[in-house]
């Protein structure tokens, strides 16, 4: 297929020779027939050979199409069953269709007049999700991701404590202090820098052996902070930590938050998808008591990036705290019901439509379809865990865990059955990066590794299972085979 | 085309019956054959009849496909030549192809290992754009939009003034004060709430008759603020205001910023695209002196939403100010050059790939193609302006302007040739909303209106011309005809 046509001039200002949809059909054929997990090392060299330079003059349509092909072939195929590198991965095919349509309709989630259907879809999603959690009469906003959601939570929490902050800044009261566990996501630290209270005013609460926040330590630190004359205002509870997949005890922490009148935010970006599973959702008990909840359907559930929801049980606060009432968008003399214009709740102005892909997935699968998908991912993680327990060369980081993260060390034969001294650990620390390097050269498996310094854990693998593409036990066996294969060659 | 297949169970967990790409091809046919600007009033009722409810059970694939059709047919077709409602509109077809491919590859602009090609593309875009502006050795970040970019600018500005703020919060110094014009974008107000300094600590600088910031007033207010013991730290200069399309005098304001050691940020989200035009870019003179610049290719240039760039001339500051060094992403013992892992510069963690669509457009068109497109949009706005000047019933809000916004009142015959008293203006104020309502009923034209209260301007139309779809003088004539047609019927 060639798109070379009557376009020989050096400046293209018209539409392309063919319709973009013709191009698209060509590209989807490429995408459909491309099933290599990642650019192997040889390819990685090739990546840098792509002509990235932007010039004064245009390129021919044939060259552009060739570049599309190069980009596709040299990208990581996250939609591959052996991609376990991050908390996201393949996309739900219904979500992908939704994403494509969204892209083509190119509008903005700011007023009803330019996004009539999407406004109603967004509203249905807040209703449905709130009802699943047990939040009554709350409100929500789609945002570009969990980090922004955590900032939403902190900004609303301090506004609720003292609405003057919107006008006067944080200067109008004593230093605000936020609490989060040492295993929580780093976005809390980035967020407190942005919202102006500074990272010294975050207290990191200790976690137990399983990575869960220790409520006693939280209460102690709240009391201490108050004694210092600082003002506790916010507790971030993690439901599914990034590395270990741990769930903080929501109900116990909620009691403490109630006692000291603190906003309880639950960062369920990763673990929130367990909500759909009757079997595995008990770790989310108490979620209905949260002042706010953050959940990323673009993680475990496989909505295409970006798809992230912030919910709060305080109906009017998003609007009260964030509104600026721009007259060129939120005219009050419109001829339709302007309560449909929801954009002023957001800290953004233009806001990409992120709701449609999730809605389409949900329509197509129902709660029960999501449940089956989540259960399947969880079952695979259980199978994986059982299979490496007591298997020579594998050592679990945690004996028990409640999400699909399986953390483990691989110990090559030369290091087995030895005393695990400091020197031994220093040696083992080099193993995971080295195996990862080999896997990348081979292009056969993508899996993450990291240390966890506050637990004194040296580099270990974090195997993550998401809902898409749907994984089987055979995929789990493959991971073990690959780790063993390359682990013994280094 | 039907996708009904062997899928009769109530729970769908597998892939859809056909490949998502088959669906996609069906949907693009729908999209290609759909050319109605907006849901007419009758349709607007129909929107609410769509079954939005999310249920426990799944829907059949046939139903899902029908819903896709309903969503497409009831959405606003921003890619229509008569869509002039916002500062964005149709998409560049090359950008659309780029957006589709991005969606399908579903990865994250956080590390080189999961986004090798896109990392290099992002870097080339910062290089190219910096070079166009005249920024040497700077740095940049793609963000979800202009509002976030303006927050980036303020957060970096205060960090540069006092890096302790990252740790200690804004508590460690006297009240910080930001300056912006009364015609600037409302995101500055939303932003200062979030970053904790409060909207009372923004000084709105007066603008002249053309909507440009008055430098003398800025300097006066800086001096006054210092005398009050507050700390000026940031000036937001607007290059292309939202409503009037005015450009603040960058070079004069830069002199003031230099004199008082203030960070000069240029919000060129809207007007930045004029950079490509030799004929119209003089309004951006001095942009190279900015500490930071924000530009939205998803506005005039027609990159699909979202596509927004923040640039700064201070090479290391994005990383220094925002980094949190998460060990599970930014391992320093990786086998490749970790300087390619750029995600820690961002306040986000997961970050949608927004660069590829712009890069593909730029490759396909070159600087010169962009120039032609921008010039064409500008020429149309000039033609429109000339045509309504002295035309009965039309009154320009500004006699001169430098962007593609054309602001005007329409005066129906019954109100012409009368003294423009307060009562007269109160009557005229109802005209624009009423015409807009009629246009919406008819589904024939989308154009925005708003008052500008600080200028004492009652409701007027803001006609906006973007690069896509490419507009001609005939399209301009059509707008005038439509306004006259409906303006006389009310």
């Amino acid at each position: 297929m060639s798109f070379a046509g009557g376009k020989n001039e050096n400046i293209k200002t018209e539409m392309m020779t063919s319709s973009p949809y013709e191009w698209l059909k060509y590209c989807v054929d490429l995408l459909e027939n491309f099933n290599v997990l990642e650019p192997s090392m040889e390819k990685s060299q090739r990546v840098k050979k792509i002509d990235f330079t932007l010039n004064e003059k245009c390129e021919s349509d044939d060259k552009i199409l060739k570049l599309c092909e190069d980009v596709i072939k040299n990208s990581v195929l996250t939609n591959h069953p052996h991609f376990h590198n991050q908390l996201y991965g393949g996309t739900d095919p219904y979500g992908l269709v939704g994403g494509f349509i969204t892209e083509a309709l190119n509008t903005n989630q700011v007023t009803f007049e330019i996004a009539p259907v999407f406004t109603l879809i967004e509203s249905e999603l807040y209703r449905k999700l709130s009802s699943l959690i047990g939040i009554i009469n709350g409100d929500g906003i789609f945002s570009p991701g969990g980090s922004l959601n955590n900032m939403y939570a902190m900004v609303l929490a301090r506004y609720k404590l003292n609405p003057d902050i919107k006008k006067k800044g944080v200067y109008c009261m004593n230093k605000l202090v936020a609490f989060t566990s040492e295993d929580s996501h780093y976005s809390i630290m980035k967020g407190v820098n942005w919202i102006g209270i500074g990272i010294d005013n975050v207290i990191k609460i200790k976690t137990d052996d399983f990575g869960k926040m220790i409520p006693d330590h939280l209460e102690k630190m709240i009391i201490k902070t108050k004694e210092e004359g600082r003002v506790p205002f916010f507790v971030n509870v993690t439901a599914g930590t990034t590395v270990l997949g741990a769930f903080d005890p929501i109900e116990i922490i909620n009691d403490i938050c109630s006692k000291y009148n603190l906003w309880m935010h639950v960062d369920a970006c990763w673990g929130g998808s367990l909500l759909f599973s009757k079997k595995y959702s008990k770790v989310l008990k108490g979620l209905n008591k949260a002042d706010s909840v953050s959940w990323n359907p673009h993680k475990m559930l496989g909505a295409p990036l970006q798809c992230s929801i912030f919910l709060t049980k305080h109906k009017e606060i998003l609007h009260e705290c964030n509104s600026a009432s721009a007259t060129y968008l939120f005219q009050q003399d419109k001829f339709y019901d302007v309560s449909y214009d929801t954009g002023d709740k957001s800290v953004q102005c233009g806001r990409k439509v992120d709701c449609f892909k999730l809605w389409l997935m949900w329509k197509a699968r129902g709660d029960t379809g999501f449940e089956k998908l989540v259960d399947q991912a969880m079952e695979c993680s259980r199978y994986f865990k059982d299979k490496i327990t007591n298997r020579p060369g594998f050592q679990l980081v945690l004996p028990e865990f409640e999400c699909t993260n399986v953390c483990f060390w691989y110990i090559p034969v030369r290091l087995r059955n030895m005393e695990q001294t400091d020197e031994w650990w220093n040696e083992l620390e080099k193993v995971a990066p080295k195996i990862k390097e080999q896997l990348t050269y081979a292009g056969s498996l993508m899996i993450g590794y990291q240390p966890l310094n506050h637990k004194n854990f040296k580099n270990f693998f974090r195997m993550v299972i998401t809902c898409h593409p749907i994984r089987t036990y055979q995929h789990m066996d493959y991971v073990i085979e690959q780790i063993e294969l390359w682990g013994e060659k280094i």
Side-chain angles (χ1 to χ4, degrees), chain A:
Chain A
M1 185 172 190
S2 169
F3 292 99
K7 288 271 150 187
N8 292 318
E9 72 268 49
N10 283 326
I11 299 168
K12 279 181 291 188
T13 55
E14 298 303 314
M15 299 288 278
M16 42 184 65
T17 347
S18 311
S19 137
Y21 297 116
E22 281 303 311
W23 279 54
L24 180 57
K25 287 174 187 170
Y26 176 80
C27 288
V28 297
D29 285 339
L30 275 180
L31 283 160
E32 239 180 345
N33 295 313
F34 177 63
N35 56 4
V36 178
L37 170 60
E38 61 173 327
S40 70
M41 211 50 203
E42 176 261 326
K43 278 187 196 158
S44 171
Q45 296 307 316
R46 218 164 64 193
V47 170
K48 295 180 189 172
K49 285 188 189 139
I50 298 176
D51 173 18
F52 290 108
T53 325
L54 295 166
N55 301 303
E56 210 180 315
K57 292 206 169 167
C58 64
E59 302 283 2
S60 72
D61 279 7
D62 279 344
K63 174 85 186 282
I64 295 299
L65 212 61
K66 177 67 174 57
L67 284 168
C68 289
E69 192 177 330
D70 286 345
V71 166
I72 291 170
K73 290 197 173 163
N74 288 289
S75 286
V76 172
L77 192 69
T78 63
N79 201 33
H80 193 286
H82 304 325
F83 181 84
H84 300 281
N85 209 65
Q86 315 289 143
L87 300 186
Y88 73 94
T91 51
D92 185 314
Y94 294 102
L96 185 57
V97 170
F100 283 137
I101 293 175
T102 304
E103 206 72 13
L105 290 173
N106 195 49
T107 197
N108 190 319
Q109 198 89 49
V110 69
T111 61
F112 182 78
E113 68 184 276
I114 51 172
V117 185
F118 298 133
T119 301
L120 298 176
I121 284 177
E122 215 184 30
S123 155
E124 169 61 10
L125 280 162
Y126 302 144
R127 185 204 65 77
K128 176 70 179 180
L129 184 60
S130 299
S131 129
L132 268 183
I133 293 175
I135 292 175
I136 297 153
N137 197 27
D139 198 6
I141 196 88
F142 273 78
S143 99
S147 301
L148 268 290
N149 285 348
N150 290 342
M151 281 165 75
Y152 265 109
M154 289 191 279
V155 169
L156 296 187
R158 72 181 184 193
Y159 178 82
K160 181 151 181 292
L161 187 66
N162 186 351
D164 279 353
I165 288 178
K166 183 173 178 179
K167 285 169 71 70
K168 298 181 180 166
V170 295
Y171 306 114
C172 67
M173 56 191 304
N174 284 346
K175 283 180 186 168
L176 293 165
V177 175
F179 301 83
T180 194
S181 92
E182 54 187 357
D183 279 81
S184 69
H185 192 256
Y186 71 93
S187 55
I188 296 288
M189 306 315 271
K190 292 205 176 202
V192 290
N193 173 25
W194 271 48
I195 71 165
I197 68 174
I199 60 181
D200 283 354
N201 291 309
V202 178
I203 312 275
K204 289 215 174 173
I205 305 301
K206 288 204 166 61
T207 56
D208 64 17
D209 290 345
F210 299 93
K212 294 164 178 283
M213 185 191 282
I214 299 170
D216 282 352
H217 187 233
L218 171 65
E219 185 161 14
K220 240 177 241 163
M221 296 312 287
I222 291 170
I223 294 167
K224 181 167 178 283
T225 303
K226 285 166 85 86
E227 285 168 357
E228 290 163 359
R230 293 192 286 172
V231 183
F233 80 112
F234 176 86
V235 177
N236 177 57
V237 180
T238 310
T241 59
T242 312
V243 176
L244 299 174
F247 288 78
D248 292 343
I250 303 177
E251 292 205 303
I252 305 174
I253 297 173
N254 181 62
D255 290 343
I256 297 171
C257 289
S258 298
K259 184 170 170 187
Y260 295 97
N261 191 29
L262 308 184
W263 182 288
M264 183 176 81
H265 172 64
V266 181
D267 176 351
C269 282
W270 171 231
S273 296
L274 296 194
L275 203 58
F276 294 103
S277 167
K278 282 185 274 299
K279 190 167 174 190
Y280 295 107
S281 62
K282 60 179 188 298
V283 287
L284 293 167
K285 196 151 181 273
L287 196 57
N288 60 319
K289 297 178 180 168
D291 291 287
S292 57
V293 177
S294 171
W295 174 51
N296 283 359
H298 70 215
K299 290 196 158 81
M300 193 185 296
L301 217 54
L305 280 156
Q306 60 194 38
C307 189
S308 176
I309 302 181
F310 175 83
L311 280 183
T312 171
K313 70 175 176 194
H314 305 285
K315 178 73 179 162
E316 300 298 339
I317 200 168
L318 268 168
H319 190 269
E320 283 173 18
C321 176
N322 289 319
S323 65
S325 308
T327 51
Y328 74 98
L329 286 171
F330 307 111
Q331 305 92 326
Q332 297 303 298
D333 53 5
K334 286 180 181 176
F335 66 92
Y336 62 83
D337 178 356
V338 294
S339 72
Y340 284 114
D341 290 350
T342 54
D344 211 14
K345 295 189 303 191
S346 171
V347 74
Q348 300 182 263
C349 174
R351 192 157 58 91
K352 185 168 171 60
V353 173
D354 296 326
C355 61
F356 179 56
K357 44 196 171 186
L358 175 63
W359 180 81
L360 202 65
M361 287 161 56
W362 208 326
K363 266 283 185 193
R365 303 197 181 277
D367 308 352
T368 46
F370 282 162
E371 177 173 32
K372 285 254 179 180
L373 288 166
V374 168
D375 281 353
Q376 175 70 14
M378 284 295 289
E379 297 301 339
C380 282
S381 71
R382 267 56 206 150
Y383 174 85
F384 188 89
K385 179 202 159 197
D386 290 346
K387 186 129 186 192
I388 65 171
T389 304
N390 302 322
R391 187 183 183 91
F394 288 84
Q395 184 170 327
L396 282 165
V397 173
L398 297 182
E400 294 299 334
F401 44 86
E402 297 160 323
C403 206
T404 69
N405 325 33
V406 188
C407 295
F408 64 91
W409 289 281
Y410 180 74
I411 306 164
V413 170
R414 66 183 164 91
L415 291 174
R416 284 180 211 165
N417 306 315
M418 296 166 75
E419 202 189 338
Q420 302 192 347
T421 59
D422 286 354
E423 292 70 37
W424 185 89
W425 279 109
N426 289 340
E427 196 55 34
L428 191 70
E429 181 168 49
K430 297 172 200 155
V431 170
K434 205 69 200 166
I435 294 179
K436 168 114 189 175
E437 178 176 352
Q438 298 302 314
L439 292 168
T440 307
Y441 271 93
S444 58
L445 174 68
M446 284 193 82
I447 182 171
Y449 76 84
Q450 65 288 300
L452 209 55
N453 297 327
H454 62 274
K455 296 284 187 204
N456 208 18
F457 294 155
K458 303 283 187 177
N459 277 330
F460 56 90
F461 286 110
R462 179 194 62 171
M463 164 76 178
V464 177
I465 300 136
T466 59
C467 292
H468 293 281
I470 297 169
R471 304 312 204 289
T472 63
Y473 293 168
Q474 286 72 42
H475 294 129
M476 301 300 104
D477 293 343
Y478 176 86
V479 174
I480 294 167
E481 282 162 24
Q482 284 292 312
I483 300 270
E484 287 178 338
L485 176 67
W486 295 105
E488 290 315 320
K489 289 195 180 166
I490 60 171

